[in-house]
Amino acid sequence: MPALDEIDRQLIAALQLNARESVAMLARQLGIARTTVTSRLARLEKTQVITGYGVRLGKRVVDGGLQAYVGITVQARSGKEVLRRLSAMAQVQQLCAVSGEFDYVAWLRTDSPEQLDQLLDQIGSVDGVEKTTTSIILSNKLDRGQSI
């Protein structure tokens, strides 16, 4: 990762609060020139420190469905096929290769317990999946986002 100075960190923090903030307002907040903000943003994007700008959903929307984490154990040499199949499932929000008890941990989001049940059946029937262990998210106690 490229070295980040204090201005880079402040710029990133300001964008994490409001990614739609204008360059002029960011420059005023940081006490630097607009051209400096523009060039720093270009550098941060080029070096992939910033890889995109997005939308954070409100609590009512996020809490409106059912979320779960699923630990997935796969057979040897089945990882690529399992990854390919899980990538095609829209309800799989995130998939991480992990160390420990499981090979992958998936974050799932569905609209209902019935949809979660169907999705878990789909995941369990993927060739190469040996075992799944599911934990349903009851509430979010802390979310710090992706600060640096």
Side-chain angles (χ1 to χ4, degrees):
M1 185 168 108
L4 301 177
D5 65 12
E6 187 58 29
I7 293 174
D8 289 334
R9 292 181 190 283
Q10 290 174 6
L11 179 58
I12 292 167
L15 288 170
Q16 286 178 312
L17 291 174
N18 183 4
R20 296 181 63 187
E21 194 67 79
S22 70
V23 169
M25 182 57 78
L26 290 168
R28 277 193 292 279
Q29 288 174 2
L30 300 175
I32 58 177
R34 287 184 306 204
T35 55
T36 302
V37 171
T38 302
S39 66
R40 283 178 179 262
L41 285 174
R43 179 178 47 80
L44 292 168
E45 291 168 359
K46 183 178 180 181
T47 58
Q48 295 189 336
V49 171
I50 296 176
T51 59
Y53 301 86
V55 174
R56 276 184 275 173
L57 299 175
K59 187 169 175 55
R60 290 191 336 220
V61 173
V62 172
D63 290 346
L66 187 62
Q67 299 176 67
Y69 285 103
V70 179
I72 303 168
T73 305
V74 300
Q75 296 169 350
R77 295 182 293 281
S78 298
K80 285 185 181 180
E81 178 62 16
V82 171
L83 175 60
R84 187 185 71 74
R85 294 278 308 276
L86 293 180
S87 296
M89 299 177 187
Q91 299 95 335
V92 177
Q93 300 294 299
Q94 188 174 43
L95 182 66
C96 301
V98 297
S99 63
E101 181 179 352
F102 307 110
D103 298 304
Y104 296 113
V105 173
W107 172 39
L108 312 178
R109 181 187 300 255
T110 64
D111 291 329
S112 67
E114 293 81 15
Q115 281 185 349
L116 177 61
D117 186 42
Q118 291 171 358
L119 182 59
L120 292 172
D121 285 345
Q122 274 185 290
I123 291 170
S125 69
V126 169
D127 284 339
V129 171
E130 286 184 351
K131 178 179 113 174
T132 63
T133 302
T134 305
S135 296
I136 295 173
I137 297 173
L138 301 175
S139 66
N140 189 344
K141 301 297 186 185
L142 178 67
D143 184 355
R144 291 195 172 114
Q146 294 182 340
S147 60
I148 57 169

